[in-house]
Amino acid sequence: MKIKKNVAISESGFIFNPTTGDSFSTNPIGLEIIRMLKDDKSKDEIRKSILSKYITDESTFEKDYYDFVMMLQTNQVADDSE
Amino acid sequence: MKQKITVAVSGLNNIDSPGPGIPVIRALKESKDFDVRIIGLSYETLEPGLYMHDLVDKSYQIPFPGAGIDSLLERIYYIHNQEKLDVIIPNFDAELANFMKIEPLLKSDLGISMFLPTQEQFDERHKANLFEFGEKHGVDVPFSKMMFNTSEIPVISKEFSYPMVVKGKFYDAYIAYNAEQVANYFNKISAKWGLPIIIQEYVFGSEVNVTALGDGKGNAISAVPMRKLFITDKGKAWAGISLDDEELVNIANRVISSSKWRGGMELEFIKTAENKYYLLEINPRFPAWVYLAAGCGQNQPEALVKLALGQNVPPYKAYDIGKMFIRYSFDMIVDLKEFEQISTIGEL
Amino acid sequence: MEKIRYERPVIKKLNTGVMNKYGTRTEYTPVTNIDGARVKDLISEFGSPLFVMSEQTIRKTYKDAVRAFTTRYPKVQFAWSYKTHYNNAICSVFHQEGSWSEVVSGFEYNKALLNGVPGNKIIFNGPDKTDDDLILAINNESMIHIDHLDELYRIIELTDELKKRPKVAIRVNMDTGVYPMWDRFGFNYESGQAWDAINKIILTNKMDLIGLHTHIGTFMLTPSAYAVAATKLLDLAFHIKSKFGKNITYIDMGGGFASRNTLKGSYLMGADSVPTFDDYAEAICSALLNSEYSKEDLPLLILESGRSLVDEAGFLLGTVLANKRLSDGRKATIMDFGVNILFTSFWYEHKISPAQEFSHYTEDSVIYGPLCMNIDVIRENITLPPMKKGDNVVVHTVGAYNMTQWMQFIAMRPNIVMIDMDGKPHLIRKKETLEYMNSLEITPEYLKDFKL
């Protein structure tokens, strides 16, 4: 799972995919995850980082992460290769 | 020395079927008496006016009318805090109901002026009520009746002759030549816009329109008639020409003086071969071609701002006849940064 | 390092440009308490889902309605529409405020009596009145509103047996220019049925015709229809006066005023576009005052408002059971309440607020109930902040009809509490239990034995 190289990500949570021409907005935690994905962080690293920073639990994160990543793929912000 | 004012304007959708916002702004920018700072109010992030920085000084997104009066008020308080608004000119039909309700509050709380029709004026010119409006104010309106059920067709057919016009409460109109077509259009329109359906006498002739401004006391400050020279496939004017038509101006004056219309309006007429005028519709705001009025010497948006600010405005007397407008489209080049800004923070 | 409040990560496409925080209809302002009672506390004490009624809102709304009419017309009386919400505590609030009762069945009639309403302050409407009901109402001198000729003849028969003169009115239906026309109740005005019935009542001389009643529809958005209706009723009253020399004591304009709910498919929010009590009062009262009645002869104006008086006072608290992603990419949130207890979601876009703080990021979602049925949809499309399992929501404007028309289906009907004027919650209807449900059922002995 990788964020496509040419995808532009801005401070404000605005995301632009120049291949498709689509733009998106994301919330701060979404932005954080996308940044970590872009930096090639593993899911494990991302989980650790989020769990240490936010009040949540493993299973909630697991569920939400799966859903978020699926949306990134559906929207072609990420490609689905491992 | 021009008076410096800040005016917020909506309807920045200057697309192929344009809203009146940009024409209103152009007219205001040409004012001889005001130095106007324009605040754009937009609903969508792709409204072209947002990106026309030579006309619109700063823009803010505002909530859709369906979000309710409270969220609109909250947003206007915020905008006013940044910009110190003097006047707001809403230009969308759908937003007028909410703005009319908050007009007194904005005046008393923030000192912001508007110049909108009253609820009663707004209601009585609704399509479904237009026939009564015509009777009340002495204007010919094609005979029309409301219909709620297709079982009424046989009865209605006796009161009208074919062809007849089948219209929706808000939009859509079709010409029906027989009962089957009436039923067909009834179903088609009611599925989209609900009931009632309006059945209207078909009047043959050419369409002539008037953009006008009433001072709320019965005086027509301005009325400029125009005939569309060419229309787009959406029925919008592509080009038009100002007319020397005293009768039409008189009818507009009569409507304004009898209804004491307050604010801008567009009157749509059919002129028959026998030179009779039938009122088809009243839009409770300026039309998108209102800049033609300014071009003919009657700057209606400027006059509306003066009325809103409580200044004395004598009625305009003359306008240039035979002035034309020709609409064109124009591709702006816009940086993605700007789209990002309006999309994420709602300001540009 | 202190941890930050967690929010589900969301991403939203912007291509149409309408979906930022200012653009769409969002209902994300959190509602954390109702009249000072914390939503979280209410749920932990009384469970979820939970219906909450605000006594403060009921009294305020009632006073507002009374003010709108009494400032325009000298003689006004409200009669609480029991079918809208016949919980005894709610009815008692209305009776304390001075409202009579309006009932449509023997069950409601007896409820009103047990609540302490005197028989002569009960209006008995509806097409279904049994002999027992009629006898009770006649003996109690209640106002019986006759719905059809069969009922009229039955009352005539009963007067002979009881040797009493019942106090009656007839229900009149009419064309007020509003569709659909409610012509299934009462006697039609235009066809002369109503005038016929009036003549029969007066000429048989077995009962006193004291009033005229109409109820032109429900959720009426055009106040002018009431003016038409009032004018037509007065027209009948005049005919009665000129032919029989009798004055009608009251005109009952029924109910049907809209609440501040948003009907499905309407563009503007209900709260901004529905007429106010003042609008309705202006239409009805001017029609009455502009009639040829002298001031002394003006009839009492009775109003049977239900929905408009109680809808806003009702809230439904609920809890998120789960989130789902539908096959088309939309977000779905499943709540612990469904259409069985919130059946008004079939025609209202009920406003739903989260009951805890959120950021301004939102998602478009569908709200489903917990029933195993496809029709169990609370909102087809709503923009809400990302919510997680266990989060609470507040559904607004649910006080009318839900707590009388709710269904016991799959699960038990929940508790109802009322928050009093000091912010203190009172349980006013207990959650149903398995024991209670089973106590109504009888299994024949021979079915009790089986082996699996």
Side-chain angles (χ1 to χ4, degrees):
Chain A
M1 226 295 304
K2 269 201 167 109
I3 298 292
K4 289 188 177 161
K5 275 205 187 60
N6 54 359
V7 166
I9 304 160
S10 85
E11 275 307 312
S12 59
F14 181 84
I15 295 160
F16 175 63
N17 180 347
T19 317
T20 60
D22 290 333
S23 9
F24 306 89
S25 84
T26 182
N27 57 352
I29 187 167
L31 183 63
E32 214 170 315
I33 294 173
I34 291 171
R35 285 233 168 98
M36 286 191 268
L37 286 169
K38 184 135 190 168
D39 293 344
D40 287 331
K41 294 266 196 305
S42 71
K43 186 183 152 192
D44 244 13
E45 289 172 290
I46 296 173
R47 184 180 59 225
K48 272 185 200 138
S49 162
I50 296 293
L51 287 180
S52 69
K53 192 169 166 192
Y54 294 93
I55 311 165
T56 183
D57 55 78
E58 200 129 335
S59 71
T60 305
F61 169 77
E62 195 70 33
K63 209 170 54 205
D64 293 345
Y65 180 81
Y66 172 79
D67 181 59
F68 185 62
V69 163
M70 201 175 76
M71 290 313 288
L72 293 181
Q73 288 168 353
T74 313
N75 287 315
Q76 301 182 46
V77 173
D79 52 39
D80 41 14
S81 60
E82 261 308 304
Chain B
M1 184 62 184
K2 286 187 185 181
Q3 185 186 351
K4 271 192 195 293
I5 55 166
T6 304
V7 181
V9 180
S10 70
L12 307 181
N13 53 329
N14 209 48
I15 50 173
D16 60 345
S17 170
I22 293 300
V24 164
I25 292 168
R26 289 183 65 202
L28 290 179
K29 287 276 179 187
E30 288 173 12
S31 166
K32 289 188 197 67
D33 301 316
F34 296 120
D35 178 5
V36 189
R37 176 172 158 80
I38 295 289
I39 304 302
L41 304 176
S42 79
Y43 291 100
E44 309 206 3
T45 47
L46 289 176
E47 291 180 28
L50 286 169
Y51 306 92
M52 299 181 172
H53 304 305
D54 50 338
L55 290 171
V56 182
D57 296 285
K58 174 87 197 259
S59 291
Y60 293 86
Q61 297 274 96
I62 55 171
F64 271 91
I69 282 176
D70 292 343
S71 12
L72 175 64
L73 268 178
E74 196 183 315
R75 189 63 178 154
I76 289 180
Y77 275 78
Y78 171 82
I79 297 169
H80 184 69
N81 215 12
Q82 316 290 313
E83 308 290 348
K84 296 282 166 277
L85 304 177
D86 295 300
V87 177
I88 301 178
I89 307 179
N91 285 306
F92 277 121
D93 291 359
E95 69 186 356
L96 285 179
N98 284 352
F99 273 104
M100 273 160 27
K101 288 216 172 71
I102 62 174
E103 181 171 354
L105 185 71
L106 289 185
K107 183 75 193 171
S108 63
D109 265 29
L110 305 178
I112 301 175
S113 306
M114 287 196 269
F115 206 70
L116 300 178
T118 64
Q119 187 71 48
E120 198 194 340
Q121 292 166 347
F122 187 77
D123 290 341
E124 72 171 2
R125 59 91 230 169
H126 260 298
K127 267 190 211 180
N129 308 333
L130 196 66
F131 189 69
E132 289 75 35
F133 180 93
E135 286 190 324
K136 186 171 161 192
H137 301 297
V139 187
D140 289 328
V141 174
F143 180 62
S144 62
K145 277 212 127 167
M146 281 186 269
M147 194 167 109
F148 292 96
N149 197 304
T150 44
S151 66
E152 297 169 49
I153 292 175
V155 183
I156 287 212
S157 301
K158 284 183 194 139
E159 294 182 62
F160 292 84
S161 59
Y162 289 104
M164 56 178 88
V165 186
V166 186
K167 288 171 114 171
K169 190 162 55 160
F170 297 118
Y171 298 104
D172 273 357
Y174 297 96
I175 297 165
Y177 292 90
N178 55 48
E180 286 67 37
Q181 284 183 342
V182 175
N184 194 5
Y185 294 136
F186 179 97
N187 292 328
K188 194 169 172 175
I189 300 173
S190 63
K192 214 162 152 192
W193 303 111
L195 296 170
I197 297 299
I198 296 138
I199 302 292
Q200 195 174 68
E201 172 193 357
Y202 179 71
V203 183
F204 186 79
S206 64
E207 196 184 327
V208 284
N209 299 339
V210 179
T211 176
L213 174 65
D215 71 354
K217 295 173 197 147
N219 302 310
I221 299 303
S222 164
V224 176
M226 175 278 286
R227 187 168 78 85
K228 292 176 183 175
L229 292 175
F230 201 85
I231 57 170
T232 67
D233 52 6
K234 284 182 182 160
K236 299 286 163 184
W238 183 324
I241 186 161
S242 64
L243 301 175
D244 177 15
D245 190 333
E246 213 173 313
E247 175 64 13
L248 197 49
V249 173
N250 285 342
I251 295 174
N253 286 343
R254 204 155 68 226
V255 169
I256 288 174
S257 81
S258 158
S259 67
K260 298 199 165 42
W261 189 268
R262 185 173 187 269
M265 73 193 310
E266 181 188 25
L267 299 134
E268 299 183 6
F269 294 90
I270 287 282
K271 183 182 182 183
T272 66
E274 296 81 40
N275 285 328
K276 272 196 86 168
Y277 295 88
Y278 286 93
L279 179 63
L280 294 185
E281 216 162 285
I282 295 180
N283 294 313
R285 39 135 188 99
F286 288 132
W289 57 272
V290 66
Y291 186 66
L292 177 69
C296 293
Q298 301 200 355
N299 193 332
Q300 293 181 354
E302 179 195 41
L304 180 134
V305 167
K306 287 182 180 170
L307 288 169
L309 293 172
Q311 299 176 7
N312 182 36
V313 185
Y316 278 108
K317 294 230 155 50
Y319 59 88
D320 297 344
I321 289 149
K323 271 265 192 311
M324 289 170 61
F325 76 88
I326 302 167
R327 210 166 259 170
Y328 71 112
S329 63
F330 177 96
D331 298 356
M332 284 184 288
I333 303 304
V334 173
D335 197 278
L336 184 65
K337 270 275 159 216
E338 297 200 355
F339 176 68
E340 172 185 340
Q341 205 184 324
I342 189 77
S343 299
T344 52
I345 64 164
E347 295 177 24
L348 182 62
Chain C
M1 192 183 79
E2 201 166 327
K3 288 192 180 182
I4 308 171
R5 190 170 50 82
Y6 173 80
E7 181 178 81
R8 195 152 44 77
V10 289
I11 180 164
K12 203 154 81 169
K13 204 171 187 172
L14 291 173
N15 55 344
T16 53
V18 295
M19 295 198 283
N20 67 63
K21 61 175 165 168
Y22 304 107
T24 38
R25 175 190 289 200
T26 55
E27 291 155 30
Y28 59 74
T29 316
V31 174
T32 54
N33 72 77
I34 295 166
D35 290 358
R38 284 190 62 216
V39 169
K40 298 270 174 206
D41 295 348
L42 288 169
I43 286 179
S44 66
E45 190 177 349
F46 299 101
S48 174
L50 172 69
F51 276 104
V52 178
M53 298 298 301
S54 156
E55 184 181 342
Q56 201 178 312
T57 310
I58 296 177
R59 292 191 190 270
K60 202 175 127 265
T61 312
Y62 184 83
K63 290 194 166 83
D64 186 37
V66 170
R67 176 207 47 79
F69 282 90
T70 51
T71 51
R72 292 178 167 86
Y73 192 76
K75 292 179 253 176
V76 179
Q77 177 62 50
F78 277 79
W80 174 239
S81 151
Y82 263 49
K83 64 182 171 298
T84 314
H85 202 323
Y86 43 58
N87 181 283
N88 294 333
I90 301 299
C91 294
S92 300
V93 174
F94 282 102
H95 298 323
Q96 279 192 350
E97 289 289 337
S99 190
W100 295 355
S101 50
E102 182 264 327
V103 302
V104 293
S105 69
F107 162 70
E108 287 188 355
Y109 186 92
N110 282 296
K111 240 174 172 280
L113 280 183
L114 288 171
N115 279 334
V117 180
N120 65 354
K121 303 280 163 70
I122 301 177
I123 295 170
F124 202 162
N125 275 324
D128 176 20
K129 306 180 191 93
T130 64
D131 278 3
D132 287 347
D133 296 339
L134 285 172
I135 292 167
L136 190 61
I138 292 169
N139 284 328
N140 280 326
E141 298 184 352
S142 302
M143 292 155 271
I144 303 172
H145 287 187
I146 302 171
D147 186 76
H148 42 75
L149 280 178
D150 291 314
E151 185 172 270
L152 173 58
Y153 290 129
R154 187 60 196 140
I155 294 175
I156 292 174
E157 286 164 20
L158 286 172
T159 56
D160 292 336
E161 294 166 28
L162 298 170
K163 309 269 180 284
K164 291 234 175 185
R165 280 182 77 84
K167 307 246 176 291
V168 302
I170 59 159
R171 174 157 176 176
V172 182
N173 70 61
M174 57 185 70
D175 183 1
T176 58
V178 164
Y179 178 86
M181 185 173 143
W182 279 24
D183 56 1
R184 56 173 285 192
F185 301 108
F187 302 90
N188 184 255
Y189 171 84
E190 285 82 11
S191 68
Q193 276 179 13
W195 181 238
D196 262 5
I198 289 169
N199 277 285
K200 283 197 176 78
I201 291 170
I202 297 179
L203 293 172
T204 50
N205 195 24
K206 302 255 176 165
M207 51 190 117
D208 293 322
L209 181 72
I210 58 169
L212 293 171
H213 170 223
T214 189
H215 183 103
I216 57 175
T218 191
F219 218 87
M220 305 293 297
L221 295 167
T222 37
S224 60
Y226 283 95
V228 176
T231 308
K232 288 185 175 175
L233 280 193
L234 281 182
D235 184 53
L236 285 176
F238 263 122
H239 273 75
I240 294 169
K241 191 172 181 182
S242 58
K243 181 167 173 188
F244 302 103
K246 282 178 196 287
N247 264 327
I248 289 295
T249 318
Y250 66 84
I251 294 274
D252 181 343
M253 292 301 298
F257 301 162
S259 72
R260 291 156 66 86
N261 249 315
T262 306
L263 283 178
K264 283 192 173 171
S266 56
Y267 185 70
L268 294 172
M269 222 159 85
D272 298 335
S273 53
V274 299
T276 61
F277 286 124
D278 286 289
D279 297 333
Y280 293 116
E282 185 64 32
I284 293 172
C285 299
S286 7
L288 296 178
L289 293 174
N290 294 342
S291 69
E292 290 158 50
Y293 268 105
S294 63
K295 197 155 188 259
E296 306 76 62
D297 281 352
L298 280 174
L300 174 71
L301 168 62
I302 295 181
L303 296 147
E304 300 171 349
S305 301
R307 184 193 311 276
S308 57
L309 293 178
V310 82
D311 216 5
E312 250 188 294
F315 302 85
L316 175 59
L317 314 187
T319 305
V320 175
L321 294 180
N323 281 299
K324 268 189 180 178
R325 183 71 62 183
L326 301 178
S327 60
D328 62 2
R330 276 182 308 160
K331 191 82 198 168
T333 300
I334 304 167
M335 297 291 177
D336 65 351
F337 54 88
V339 292
N340 55 330
I341 60 168
L342 191 70
F343 92 105
T344 48
S345 46
F346 284 130
W347 52 85
Y348 294 143
E349 304 256 350
H350 276 297
K351 178 178 170 181
I352 301 178
S353 312
Q356 46 275 308
E357 291 294 334
F358 283 103
S359 71
H360 66 257
Y361 291 90
T362 58
E363 270 187 311
D364 299 332
S365 34
V366 194
I367 306 268
Y368 290 129
L371 308 179
C372 281
M373 298 180 79
N374 207 34
I375 55 160
D376 193 18
V377 183
I378 301 292
R379 283 286 300 268
E380 297 279 356
N381 197 337
I382 184 169
T383 306
L384 279 174
M387 284 191 296
K388 55 182 189 296
K389 180 177 161 54
D391 279 347
N392 298 126
V393 295
V394 177
V395 187
H396 300 257
T397 324
V398 303
Y401 292 103
N402 280 307
M403 280 155 274
T404 48
Q405 294 189 328
W406 50 357
M407 283 175 275
Q408 187 273 315
F409 176 67
I410 303 181
M412 307 301 154
R413 285 176 277 212
N415 284 322
I416 309 178
V417 298
M418 182 164 75
I419 316 282
D420 70 15
M421 303 301 282
D422 302 318
K424 188 171 168 292
H426 299 263
L427 186 62
I428 60 169
R429 189 181 195 273
K430 281 190 257 177
K431 182 185 163 118
E432 290 162 351
T433 59
L434 173 61
E435 203 185 4
Y436 164 72
M437 294 308 303
N438 270 349
S439 73
L440 302 171
E441 295 184 18
I442 300 150
T443 312
E445 277 306 316
Y446 71 96
L447 291 174
K448 286 185 175 163
D449 200 32
F450 53 79
K451 284 200 180 68
L452 294 173

